[in-house]
PDB file of all heavy atoms in Angstrom:
ATOM      1  N   ARG R   6     104.577 116.395  90.980  1.00 97.00           N
ATOM      2  CA  ARG R   6     104.047 116.053  89.662  1.00 97.00           C
ATOM      3  C   ARG R   6     102.582 115.640  89.736  1.00 97.00           C
ATOM      4  O   ARG R   6     101.798 115.917  88.835  1.00 97.00           O
ATOM      5  CB  ARG R   6     104.871 114.910  89.056  1.00 97.00           C
ATOM      6  CG  ARG R   6     106.278 115.291  88.654  1.00 97.00           C
ATOM      7  CD  ARG R   6     106.380 115.763  87.220  1.00 97.00           C
ATOM      8  NE  ARG R   6     106.150 114.674  86.274  1.00 97.00           N
ATOM      9  CZ  ARG R   6     107.094 113.855  85.833  1.00 97.00           C
ATOM     10  NH1 ARG R   6     108.351 113.978  86.277  1.00 97.00           N
ATOM     11  NH2 ARG R   6     106.813 112.926  84.955  1.00 97.00           N
ATOM     12  N   ASP R   7     102.225 114.931  90.811  1.00 97.00           N
ATOM     13  CA  ASP R   7     100.861 114.426  90.953  1.00 97.00           C
ATOM     14  C   ASP R   7     100.449 114.492  92.422  1.00 97.00           C
ATOM     15  O   ASP R   7     100.703 113.567  93.187  1.00 97.00           O
ATOM     16  CB  ASP R   7     100.770 112.987  90.443  1.00 97.00           C
ATOM     17  CG  ASP R   7      99.351 112.437  90.517  1.00 97.00           C
ATOM     18  OD1 ASP R   7      98.431 113.174  90.919  1.00 97.00           O
ATOM     19  OD2 ASP R   7      99.160 111.250  90.155  1.00 97.00           O
ATOM     20  N   PRO R   8      99.794 115.585  92.818  1.00 97.00           N
ATOM     21  CA  PRO R   8      99.412 115.748  94.225  1.00 97.00           C
ATOM     22  C   PRO R   8      98.492 114.640  94.743  1.00 97.00           C
ATOM     23  O   PRO R   8      98.401 114.426  95.954  1.00 97.00           O
ATOM     24  CB  PRO R   8      98.687 117.105  94.236  1.00 97.00           C
ATOM     25  CG  PRO R   8      99.244 117.832  93.046  1.00 97.00           C
ATOM     26  CD  PRO R   8      99.481 116.777  92.009  1.00 97.00           C
ATOM     27  N   GLU R   9      97.823 113.916  93.840  1.00 97.00           N
ATOM     28  CA  GLU R   9      96.908 112.858  94.256  1.00 97.00           C
ATOM     29  C   GLU R   9      97.581 111.494  94.333  1.00 97.00           C
ATOM     30  O   GLU R   9      96.927 110.486  94.657  1.00 97.00           O
ATOM     31  CB  GLU R   9      95.725 112.785  93.273  1.00 97.00           C
ATOM     32  CG  GLU R   9      94.927 114.075  93.149  1.00 97.00           C
ATOM     33  CD  GLU R   9      94.368 114.514  94.495  1.00 97.00           C
ATOM     34  OE1 GLU R   9      93.825 113.647  95.226  1.00 97.00           O
ATOM     35  OE2 GLU R   9      94.478 115.713  94.816  1.00 97.00           O
ATOM     36  N   ALA R  10      98.868 111.417  94.046  1.00 98.00           N
ATOM     37  CA  ALA R  10      99.565 110.132  94.040  1.00 98.00           C
ATOM     38  C   ALA R  10      99.532 109.474  95.419  1.00 98.00           C
ATOM     39  O   ALA R  10      99.575 110.147  96.452  1.00 98.00           O
ATOM     40  CB  ALA R  10     101.011 110.320  93.593  1.00 98.00           C
ATOM     41  N   GLU R  11      99.452 108.145  95.416  1.00 98.00           N
ATOM     42  CA  GLU R  11      99.475 107.372  96.650  1.00 98.00           C
ATOM     43  C   GLU R  11     100.879 106.796  96.839  1.00 98.00           C
ATOM     44  O   GLU R  11     101.422 106.156  95.929  1.00 98.00           O
ATOM     45  CB  GLU R  11      98.457 106.237  96.584  1.00 98.00           C
ATOM     46  CG  GLU R  11      98.381 105.404  97.850  1.00 98.00           C
ATOM     47  CD  GLU R  11      97.302 104.331  97.778  1.00 98.00           C
ATOM     48  OE1 GLU R  11      96.648 104.206  96.726  1.00 98.00           O
ATOM     49  OE2 GLU R  11      97.133 103.616  98.789  1.00 98.00           O
ATOM     50  N   ILE R  12     101.455 107.004  98.018  1.00 98.00           N
ATOM     51  CA  ILE R  12     102.831 106.568  98.279  1.00 98.00           C
ATOM     52  C   ILE R  12     102.881 105.797  99.587  1.00 98.00           C
ATOM     53  O   ILE R  12     102.512 106.300 100.649  1.00 98.00           O
ATOM     54  CB  ILE R  12     103.784 107.778  98.359  1.00 98.00           C
ATOM     55  CG1 ILE R  12     103.739 108.596  97.059  1.00 98.00           C
ATOM     56  CG2 ILE R  12     105.209 107.307  98.643  1.00 98.00           C
ATOM     57  CD1 ILE R  12     104.517 109.892  97.128  1.00 98.00           C
ATOM     58  N   ILE R  13     103.366 104.555  99.498  1.00 98.00           N
ATOM     59  CA  ILE R  13     103.580 103.716 100.680  1.00 98.00           C
ATOM     60  C   ILE R  13     105.086 103.555 100.883  1.00 98.00           C
ATOM     61  O   ILE R  13     105.813 103.274  99.928  1.00 98.00           O
ATOM     62  CB  ILE R  13     102.942 102.327 100.517  1.00 98.00           C
ATOM     63  CG1 ILE R  13     101.438 102.447 100.244  1.00 98.00           C
ATOM     64  CG2 ILE R  13     103.190 101.467 101.758  1.00 98.00           C
ATOM     65  CD1 ILE R  13     100.784 101.128  99.890  1.00 98.00           C
ATOM     66  N   VAL R  14     105.530 103.726 102.104  1.00 98.00           N
ATOM     67  CA  VAL R  14     106.938 103.555 102.458  1.00 98.00           C
ATOM     68  C   VAL R  14     107.021 102.442 103.492  1.00 98.00           C
ATOM     69  O   VAL R  14     106.347 102.493 104.529  1.00 98.00           O
ATOM     70  CB  VAL R  14     107.524 104.861 103.017  1.00 98.00           C
ATOM     71  CG1 VAL R  14     108.909 104.624 103.589  1.00 98.00           C
ATOM     72  CG2 VAL R  14     107.572 105.932 101.933  1.00 98.00           C
ATOM     73  N   SER R  15     107.833 101.419 103.212  1.00 98.00           N
ATOM     74  CA  SER R  15     107.878 100.239 104.073  1.00 98.00           C
ATOM     75  C   SER R  15     109.319  99.864 104.419  1.00 98.00           C
ATOM     76  O   SER R  15     110.184  99.806 103.546  1.00 98.00           O
ATOM     77  CB  SER R  15     107.189  99.061 103.377  1.00 98.00           C
ATOM     78  OG  SER R  15     107.149  97.929 104.200  1.00 98.00           O
ATOM     79  N   PHE R  16     109.559  99.580 105.688  1.00 98.00           N
ATOM     80  CA  PHE R  16     110.905  99.303 106.184  1.00 98.00           C
ATOM     81  C   PHE R  16     111.084  97.809 106.487  1.00 98.00           C
ATOM     82  O   PHE R  16     110.141  97.128 106.894  1.00 98.00           O
ATOM     83  CB  PHE R  16     111.177 100.121 107.445  1.00 98.00           C
ATOM     84  CG  PHE R  16     111.003 101.589 107.252  1.00 98.00           C
ATOM     85  CD1 PHE R  16     109.812 102.205 107.625  1.00 98.00           C
ATOM     86  CD2 PHE R  16     111.997 102.356 106.668  1.00 98.00           C
ATOM     87  CE1 PHE R  16     109.629 103.575 107.429  1.00 98.00           C
ATOM     88  CE2 PHE R  16     111.821 103.724 106.468  1.00 98.00           C
ATOM     89  CZ  PHE R  16     110.633 104.333 106.842  1.00 98.00           C
ATOM     90  N   ALA R  17     112.300  97.326 106.295  1.00 98.00           N
ATOM     91  CA  ALA R  17     112.642  95.943 106.618  1.00 98.00           C
ATOM     92  C   ALA R  17     113.416  95.920 107.927  1.00 98.00           C
ATOM     93  O   ALA R  17     114.489  96.520 108.029  1.00 98.00           O
ATOM     94  CB  ALA R  17     113.477  95.334 105.495  1.00 98.00           C
ATOM     95  N   VAL R  18     112.868  95.219 108.918  1.00 98.00           N
ATOM     96  CA  VAL R  18     113.512  95.179 110.225  1.00 98.00           C
ATOM     97  C   VAL R  18     113.624  93.738 110.706  1.00 98.00           C
ATOM     98  O   VAL R  18     112.840  92.864 110.344  1.00 98.00           O
ATOM     99  CB  VAL R  18     112.741  96.016 111.275  1.00 98.00           C
ATOM    100  CG1 VAL R  18     112.643  97.467 110.833  1.00 98.00           C
ATOM    101  CG2 VAL R  18     111.354  95.444 111.534  1.00 98.00           C
ATOM    102  N   SER R  19     114.605  93.501 111.541  1.00 96.00           N
ATOM    103  CA  SER R  19     114.802  92.181 112.134  1.00 96.00           C
ATOM    104  C   SER R  19     113.832  91.994 113.298  1.00 96.00           C
ATOM    105  O   SER R  19     113.053  92.893 113.637  1.00 96.00           O
ATOM    106  CB  SER R  19     116.242  92.035 112.608  1.00 96.00           C
ATOM    107  OG  SER R  19     116.560  93.065 113.522  1.00 96.00           O
ATOM    108  N   GLN R  20     113.913  90.850 113.946  1.00 96.00           N
ATOM    109  CA  GLN R  20     112.986  90.541 115.033  1.00 96.00           C
ATOM    110  C   GLN R  20     113.090  91.515 116.198  1.00 96.00           C
ATOM    111  O   GLN R  20     112.131  91.688 116.951  1.00 96.00           O
ATOM    112  CB  GLN R  20     113.232  89.115 115.523  1.00 96.00           C
ATOM    113  CG  GLN R  20     112.980  88.060 114.466  1.00 96.00           C
ATOM    114  CD  GLN R  20     113.417  86.674 114.905  1.00 96.00           C
ATOM    115  OE1 GLN R  20     113.576  86.418 116.104  1.00 96.00           O
ATOM    116  NE2 GLN R  20     113.619  85.771 113.972  1.00 96.00           N
ATOM    117  N   ASP R  21     114.258  92.163 116.345  1.00 97.00           N
ATOM    118  CA  ASP R  21     114.421  93.135 117.431  1.00 97.00           C
ATOM    119  C   ASP R  21     113.998  94.543 117.016  1.00 97.00           C
ATOM    120  O   ASP R  21     114.110  95.479 117.803  1.00 97.00           O
ATOM    121  CB  ASP R  21     115.863  93.145 117.946  1.00 97.00           C
ATOM    122  CG  ASP R  21     116.876  93.539 116.884  1.00 97.00           C
ATOM    123  OD1 ASP R  21     116.471  93.852 115.746  1.00 97.00           O
ATOM    124  OD2 ASP R  21     118.087  93.517 117.177  1.00 97.00           O
ATOM    125  N   GLY R  22     113.530  94.689 115.774  1.00 97.00           N
ATOM    126  CA  GLY R  22     112.990  95.971 115.337  1.00 97.00           C
ATOM    127  C   GLY R  22     113.978  96.918 114.701  1.00 97.00           C
ATOM    128  O   GLY R  22     113.641  98.075 114.442  1.00 97.00           O
ATOM    129  N   TYR R  23     115.179  96.458 114.407  1.00 98.00           N
ATOM    130  CA  TYR R  23     116.201  97.321 113.819  1.00 98.00           C
ATOM    131  C   TYR R  23     116.445  96.982 112.352  1.00 98.00           C
ATOM    132  O   TYR R  23     116.435  95.815 111.957  1.00 98.00           O
ATOM    133  CB  TYR R  23     117.512  97.205 114.586  1.00 98.00           C
ATOM    134  CG  TYR R  23     117.476  97.913 115.933  1.00 98.00           C
ATOM    135  CD1 TYR R  23     117.054  97.237 117.077  1.00 98.00           C
ATOM    136  CD2 TYR R  23     117.841  99.249 116.053  1.00 98.00           C
ATOM    137  CE1 TYR R  23     117.002  97.872 118.306  1.00 98.00           C
ATOM    138  CE2 TYR R  23     117.788  99.895 117.277  1.00 98.00           C
ATOM    139  CZ  TYR R  23     117.371  99.205 118.402  1.00 98.00           C
ATOM    140  OH  TYR R  23     117.314  99.849 119.618  1.00 98.00           O
ATOM    141  N   THR R  24     116.701  98.023 111.543  1.00 97.00           N
ATOM    142  CA  THR R  24     117.042  97.824 110.144  1.00 97.00           C
ATOM    143  C   THR R  24     118.532  97.523 110.016  1.00 97.00           C
ATOM    144  O   THR R  24     119.297  97.620 110.977  1.00 97.00           O
ATOM    145  CB  THR R  24     116.735  99.077 109.307  1.00 97.00           C
ATOM    146  OG1 THR R  24     117.681 100.118 109.653  1.00 97.00           O
ATOM    147  CG2 THR R  24     115.327  99.584 109.546  1.00 97.00           C
ATOM    148  N   GLN R  25     118.958  97.193 108.811  1.00 95.00           N
ATOM    149  CA  GLN R  25     120.381  96.936 108.559  1.00 95.00           C
ATOM    150  C   GLN R  25     121.219  98.189 108.771  1.00 95.00           C
ATOM    151  O   GLN R  25     122.433  98.101 108.948  1.00 95.00           O
ATOM    152  CB  GLN R  25     120.566  96.392 107.146  1.00 95.00           C
ATOM    153  CG  GLN R  25     120.013  94.989 106.961  1.00 95.00           C
ATOM    154  CD  GLN R  25     120.254  94.447 105.572  1.00 95.00           C
ATOM    155  OE1 GLN R  25     120.720  95.157 104.686  1.00 95.00           O
ATOM    156  NE2 GLN R  25     119.938  93.177 105.373  1.00 95.00           N
ATOM    157  N   SER R  26     120.585  99.351 108.762  1.00 96.00           N
ATOM    158  CA  SER R  26     121.301 100.598 109.035  1.00 96.00           C
ATOM    159  C   SER R  26     121.331 100.923 110.520  1.00 96.00           C
ATOM    160  O   SER R  26     121.843 101.975 110.918  1.00 96.00           O
ATOM    161  CB  SER R  26     120.650 101.760 108.268  1.00 96.00           C
ATOM    162  OG  SER R  26     120.767 101.565 106.876  1.00 96.00           O
ATOM    163  N   GLY R  27     120.757 100.050 111.341  1.00 97.00           N
ATOM    164  CA  GLY R  27     120.777 100.257 112.784  1.00 97.00           C
ATOM    165  C   GLY R  27     119.719 101.206 113.299  1.00 97.00           C
ATOM    166  O   GLY R  27     119.818 101.695 114.432  1.00 97.00           O
ATOM    167  N   LEU R  28     118.683 101.455 112.500  1.00 98.00           N
ATOM    168  CA  LEU R  28     117.615 102.370 112.904  1.00 98.00           C
ATOM    169  C   LEU R  28     116.441 101.590 113.472  1.00 98.00           C
ATOM    170  O   LEU R  28     116.100 100.504 112.982  1.00 98.00           O
ATOM    171  CB  LEU R  28     117.174 103.221 111.710  1.00 98.00           C
ATOM    172  CG  LEU R  28     118.291 104.060 111.067  1.00 98.00           C
ATOM    173  CD1 LEU R  28     117.771 104.797 109.842  1.00 98.00           C
ATOM    174  CD2 LEU R  28     118.876 105.044 112.071  1.00 98.00           C
ATOM    175  N   TYR R  29     115.791 102.153 114.485  1.00 98.00           N
ATOM    176  CA  TYR R  29     114.718 101.466 115.191  1.00 98.00           C
ATOM    177  C   TYR R  29     113.379 101.721 114.519  1.00 98.00           C
ATOM    178  O   TYR R  29     113.063 102.843 114.113  1.00 98.00           O
ATOM    179  CB  TYR R  29     114.675 101.933 116.645  1.00 98.00           C
ATOM    180  CG  TYR R  29     113.831 101.072 117.557  1.00 98.00           C
ATOM    181  CD1 TYR R  29     113.944  99.688 117.546  1.00 98.00           C
ATOM    182  CD2 TYR R  29     112.931 101.657 118.446  1.00 98.00           C
ATOM    183  CE1 TYR R  29     113.185  98.896 118.389  1.00 98.00           C
ATOM    184  CE2 TYR R  29     112.173 100.877 119.307  1.00 98.00           C
ATOM    185  CZ  TYR R  29     112.297  99.499 119.262  1.00 98.00           C
ATOM    186  OH  TYR R  29     111.542  98.710 120.106  1.00 98.00           O
ATOM    187  N   TYR R  30     112.568 100.671 114.421  1.00 98.00           N
ATOM    188  CA  TYR R  30     111.346 100.757 113.627  1.00 98.00           C
ATOM    189  C   TYR R  30     110.331 101.762 114.160  1.00 98.00           C
ATOM    190  O   TYR R  30     109.637 102.430 113.378  1.00 98.00           O
ATOM    191  CB  TYR R  30     110.710  99.368 113.494  1.00 98.00           C
ATOM    192  CG  TYR R  30     109.886  98.888 114.664  1.00 98.00           C
ATOM    193  CD1 TYR R  30     108.505  98.733 114.559  1.00 98.00           C
ATOM    194  CD2 TYR R  30     110.474  98.540 115.881  1.00 98.00           C
ATOM    195  CE1 TYR R  30     107.744  98.257 115.611  1.00 98.00           C
ATOM    196  CE2 TYR R  30     109.735  98.071 116.927  1.00 98.00           C
ATOM    197  CZ  TYR R  30     108.355  97.929 116.804  1.00 98.00           C
ATOM    198  OH  TYR R  30     107.602  97.463 117.857  1.00 98.00           O
ATOM    199  N   LYS R  31     110.250 101.921 115.466  1.00 98.00           N
ATOM    200  CA  LYS R  31     109.299 102.886 116.010  1.00 98.00           C
ATOM    201  C   LYS R  31     109.662 104.303 115.586  1.00 98.00           C
ATOM    202  O   LYS R  31     108.778 105.118 115.262  1.00 98.00           O
ATOM    203  CB  LYS R  31     109.248 102.786 117.532  1.00 98.00           C
ATOM    204  CG  LYS R  31     108.568 101.535 118.047  1.00 98.00           C
ATOM    205  CD  LYS R  31     108.448 101.567 119.570  1.00 98.00           C
ATOM    206  CE  LYS R  31     107.737 100.330 120.099  1.00 98.00           C
ATOM    207  NZ  LYS R  31     107.586 100.358 121.575  1.00 98.00           N
ATOM    208  N   ASP R  32     110.951 104.607 115.569  1.00 98.00           N
ATOM    209  CA  ASP R  32     111.400 105.940 115.151  1.00 98.00           C
ATOM    210  C   ASP R  32     111.133 106.154 113.664  1.00 98.00           C
ATOM    211  O   ASP R  32     110.716 107.242 113.234  1.00 98.00           O
ATOM    212  CB  ASP R  32     112.898 106.105 115.433  1.00 98.00           C
ATOM    213  CG  ASP R  32     113.220 106.002 116.914  1.00 98.00           C
ATOM    214  OD1 ASP R  32     112.370 106.389 117.733  1.00 98.00           O
ATOM    215  OD2 ASP R  32     114.330 105.535 117.252  1.00 98.00           O
ATOM    216  N   LEU R  33     111.364 105.117 112.854  1.00 98.00           N
ATOM    217  CA  LEU R  33     111.150 105.229 111.413  1.00 98.00           C
ATOM    218  C   LEU R  33     109.666 105.411 111.082  1.00 98.00           C
ATOM    219  O   LEU R  33     109.306 106.237 110.231  1.00 98.00           O
ATOM    220  CB  LEU R  33     111.699 103.998 110.701  1.00 98.00           C
ATOM    221  CG  LEU R  33     113.220 103.892 110.646  1.00 98.00           C
ATOM    222  CD1 LEU R  33     113.638 102.493 110.203  1.00 98.00           C
ATOM    223  CD2 LEU R  33     113.794 104.948 109.692  1.00 98.00           C
ATOM    224  N   ILE R  34     108.811 104.641 111.729  1.00 98.00           N
ATOM    225  CA  ILE R  34     107.370 104.757 111.477  1.00 98.00           C
ATOM    226  C   ILE R  34     106.877 106.144 111.886  1.00 98.00           C
ATOM    227  O   ILE R  34     106.105 106.787 111.167  1.00 98.00           O
ATOM    228  CB  ILE R  34     106.592 103.662 112.229  1.00 98.00           C
ATOM    229  CG1 ILE R  34     106.965 102.278 111.695  1.00 98.00           C
ATOM    230  CG2 ILE R  34     105.088 103.899 112.112  1.00 98.00           C
ATOM    231  CD1 ILE R  34     106.663 102.065 110.230  1.00 98.00           C
ATOM    232  N   ALA R  35     107.330 106.634 113.032  1.00 97.00           N
ATOM    233  CA  ALA R  35     106.924 107.964 113.492  1.00 97.00           C
ATOM    234  C   ALA R  35     107.387 109.038 112.516  1.00 97.00           C
ATOM    235  O   ALA R  35     106.638 109.970 112.199  1.00 97.00           O
ATOM    236  CB  ALA R  35     107.487 108.230 114.884  1.00 97.00           C
ATOM    237  N   ALA R  36     108.627 108.902 112.028  1.00 98.00           N
ATOM    238  CA  ALA R  36     109.151 109.891 111.084  1.00 98.00           C
ATOM    239  C   ALA R  36     108.392 109.852 109.763  1.00 98.00           C
ATOM    240  O   ALA R  36     108.011 110.900 109.215  1.00 98.00           O
ATOM    241  CB  ALA R  36     110.634 109.635 110.847  1.00 98.00           C
ATOM    242  N   ALA R  37     108.157 108.649 109.231  1.00 98.00           N
ATOM    243  CA  ALA R  37     107.464 108.524 107.947  1.00 98.00           C
ATOM    244  C   ALA R  37     106.028 109.020 108.039  1.00 98.00           C
ATOM    245  O   ALA R  37     105.516 109.665 107.119  1.00 98.00           O
ATOM    246  CB  ALA R  37     107.490 107.074 107.478  1.00 98.00           C
ATOM    247  N   ALA R  38     105.367 108.737 109.169  1.00 97.00           N
ATOM    248  CA  ALA R  38     103.980 109.163 109.345  1.00 97.00           C
ATOM    249  C   ALA R  38     103.851 110.681 109.361  1.00 97.00           C
ATOM    250  O   ALA R  38     102.776 111.226 109.086  1.00 97.00           O
ATOM    251  CB  ALA R  38     103.413 108.569 110.632  1.00 97.00           C
ATOM    252  N   GLY R  39     104.944 111.372 109.670  1.00 96.00           N
ATOM    253  CA  GLY R  39     104.911 112.832 109.728  1.00 96.00           C
ATOM    254  C   GLY R  39     105.332 113.520 108.448  1.00 96.00           C
ATOM    255  O   GLY R  39     105.373 114.757 108.402  1.00 96.00           O
ATOM    256  N   VAL R  40     105.645 112.751 107.402  1.00 97.00           N
ATOM    257  CA  VAL R  40     106.103 113.350 106.144  1.00 97.00           C
ATOM    258  C   VAL R  40     104.909 113.654 105.241  1.00 97.00           C
ATOM    259  O   VAL R  40     104.161 112.735 104.876  1.00 97.00           O
ATOM    260  CB  VAL R  40     107.073 112.402 105.403  1.00 97.00           C
ATOM    261  CG1 VAL R  40     107.429 112.972 104.033  1.00 97.00           C
ATOM    262  CG2 VAL R  40     108.332 112.186 106.230  1.00 97.00           C
ATOM    263  N   PRO R  41     104.721 114.907 104.849  1.00 94.00           N
ATOM    264  CA  PRO R  41     103.655 115.224 103.906  1.00 94.00           C
ATOM    265  C   PRO R  41     103.876 114.471 102.593  1.00 94.00           C
ATOM    266  O   PRO R  41     104.977 114.439 102.067  1.00 94.00           O
ATOM    267  CB  PRO R  41     103.801 116.737 103.708  1.00 94.00           C
ATOM    268  CG  PRO R  41     104.529 117.218 104.913  1.00 94.00           C
ATOM    269  CD  PRO R  41     105.463 116.109 105.284  1.00 94.00           C
ATOM    270  N   GLY R  42     102.842 113.874 102.108  1.00 95.00           N
ATOM    271  CA  GLY R  42     102.959 113.155 100.844  1.00 95.00           C
ATOM    272  C   GLY R  42     103.012 111.651 101.006  1.00 95.00           C
ATOM    273  O   GLY R  42     102.700 110.912 100.072  1.00 95.00           O
ATOM    274  N   ILE R  43     103.429 111.149 102.174  1.00 98.00           N
ATOM    275  CA  ILE R  43     103.435 109.709 102.408  1.00 98.00           C
ATOM    276  C   ILE R  43     102.045 109.299 102.884  1.00 98.00           C
ATOM    277  O   ILE R  43     101.559 109.760 103.914  1.00 98.00           O
ATOM    278  CB  ILE R  43     104.509 109.305 103.435  1.00 98.00           C
ATOM    279  CG1 ILE R  43     105.905 109.530 102.840  1.00 98.00           C
ATOM    280  CG2 ILE R  43     104.337 107.846 103.841  1.00 98.00           C
ATOM    281  CD1 ILE R  43     107.046 109.154 103.762  1.00 98.00           C
ATOM    282  N   THR R  44     101.401 108.429 102.111  1.00 96.00           N
ATOM    283  CA  THR R  44     100.036 108.014 102.399  1.00 96.00           C
ATOM    284  C   THR R  44      99.981 106.976 103.499  1.00 96.00           C
ATOM    285  O   THR R  44      99.084 106.990 104.346  1.00 96.00           O
ATOM    286  CB  THR R  44      99.388 107.416 101.131  1.00 96.00           C
ATOM    287  OG1 THR R  44      99.621 108.287 100.024  1.00 96.00           O
ATOM    288  CG2 THR R  44      97.903 107.214 101.321  1.00 96.00           C
ATOM    289  N   ALA R  45     100.925 106.037 103.460  1.00 97.00           N
ATOM    290  CA  ALA R  45     100.958 104.954 104.438  1.00 97.00           C
ATOM    291  C   ALA R  45     102.404 104.533 104.662  1.00 97.00           C
ATOM    292  O   ALA R  45     103.265 104.739 103.800  1.00 97.00           O
ATOM    293  CB  ALA R  45     100.132 103.766 103.954  1.00 97.00           C
ATOM    294  N   CYS R  46     102.667 103.930 105.804  1.00 98.00           N
ATOM    295  CA  CYS R  46     104.002 103.429 106.094  1.00 98.00           C
ATOM    296  C   CYS R  46     103.871 102.126 106.860  1.00 98.00           C
ATOM    297  O   CYS R  46     102.824 101.826 107.437  1.00 98.00           O
ATOM    298  CB  CYS R  46     104.826 104.449 106.885  1.00 98.00           C
ATOM    299  SG  CYS R  46     104.076 104.952 108.455  1.00 98.00           S
ATOM    300  N   GLY R  47     104.953 101.334 106.838  1.00 98.00           N
ATOM    301  CA  GLY R  47     104.849 100.060 107.519  1.00 98.00           C
ATOM    302  C   GLY R  47     106.112  99.233 107.458  1.00 98.00           C
ATOM    303  O   GLY R  47     107.216  99.764 107.318  1.00 98.00           O
ATOM    304  N   LEU R  48     105.924  97.897 107.533  1.00 98.00           N
ATOM    305  CA  LEU R  48     107.028  96.960 107.609  1.00 98.00           C
ATOM    306  C   LEU R  48     106.831  95.832 106.601  1.00 98.00           C
ATOM    307  O   LEU R  48     105.704  95.410 106.352  1.00 98.00           O
ATOM    308  CB  LEU R  48     107.128  96.358 109.014  1.00 98.00           C
ATOM    309  CG  LEU R  48     107.288  97.336 110.185  1.00 98.00           C
ATOM    310  CD1 LEU R  48     107.190  96.579 111.511  1.00 98.00           C
ATOM    311  CD2 LEU R  48     108.620  98.080 110.102  1.00 98.00           C
ATOM    312  N   ASN R  49     107.929  95.340 106.055  1.00 98.00           N
ATOM    313  CA  ASN R  49     107.889  94.164 105.185  1.00 98.00           C
ATOM    314  C   ASN R  49     109.236  93.452 105.249  1.00 98.00           C
ATOM    315  O   ASN R  49     110.232  94.023 105.657  1.00 98.00           O
ATOM    316  CB  ASN R  49     107.561  94.544 103.742  1.00 98.00           C
ATOM    317  CG  ASN R  49     108.757  95.141 103.009  1.00 98.00           C
ATOM    318  OD1 ASN R  49     109.162  96.273 103.286  1.00 98.00           O
ATOM    319  ND2 ASN R  49     109.332  94.384 102.088  1.00 98.00           N
ATOM    320  N   CYS R  50     109.236  92.194 104.843  1.00 95.00           N
ATOM    321  CA  CYS R  50     110.446  91.403 104.680  1.00 95.00           C
ATOM    322  C   CYS R  50     111.149  91.090 106.017  1.00 95.00           C
ATOM    323  O   CYS R  50     110.742  91.558 107.073  1.00 95.00           O
ATOM    324  CB  CYS R  50     111.422  92.075 103.711  1.00 95.00           C
ATOM    325  SG  CYS R  50     112.542  90.908 102.885  1.00 95.00           S
ATOM    326  N   ILE R  51     112.187  90.283 105.918  1.00 94.00           N
ATOM    327  CA  ILE R  51     113.023  89.784 107.025  1.00 94.00           C
ATOM    328  C   ILE R  51     112.209  88.978 108.038  1.00 94.00           C
ATOM    329  O   ILE R  51     112.459  87.798 108.255  1.00 94.00           O
ATOM    330  CB  ILE R  51     113.809  90.901 107.730  1.00 94.00           C
ATOM    331  CG1 ILE R  51     114.701  91.664 106.731  1.00 94.00           C
ATOM    332  CG2 ILE R  51     114.658  90.319 108.848  1.00 94.00           C
ATOM    333  CD1 ILE R  51     115.540  92.766 107.359  1.00 94.00           C
ATOM    334  N   CYS R  52     111.213  89.600 108.665  1.00 94.00           N
ATOM    335  CA  CYS R  52     110.418  88.919 109.681  1.00 94.00           C
ATOM    336  C   CYS R  52     109.326  88.046 109.068  1.00 94.00           C
ATOM    337  O   CYS R  52     108.696  88.414 108.077  1.00 94.00           O
ATOM    338  CB  CYS R  52     109.759  89.930 110.607  1.00 94.00           C
ATOM    339  SG  CYS R  52     110.844  90.634 111.856  1.00 94.00           S
ATOM    340  N   GLY R  53     109.083  86.900 109.733  1.00 94.00           N
ATOM    341  CA  GLY R  53     107.903  86.115 109.428  1.00 94.00           C
ATOM    342  C   GLY R  53     106.684  86.762 110.066  1.00 94.00           C
ATOM    343  O   GLY R  53     106.793  87.746 110.808  1.00 94.00           O
TER     344      GLY R  53
END
């Protein structure tokens, strides 16, 4: 709909780097960084 749209995708992980679905943050960041259309990716919540 909007090729210029900015999209950030952010995952919530515990202190050991795993999400509630049991996925590891390094794998998720690598996967998200390779998706066309995702402008930025990162982490939020759970951890201080």
Side-chain angles (χ1 to χ4, degrees):
R6 290 269 291 273
D7 182 2
E9 301 302 315
E11 182 177 3
I12 302 173
I13 302 172
V14 171
S15 183
F16 303 98
V18 301
S19 57
Q20 298 172 20
D21 61 2
Y23 286 89
T24 71
Q25 291 182 353
S26 296
L28 302 176
Y29 194 47
Y30 81 112
K31 288 185 179 181
D32 298 329
L33 288 167
I34 295 299
V40 174
I43 292 180
T44 312
C46 58
L48 303 173
N49 77 288
C50 206
I51 303 181
C52 282

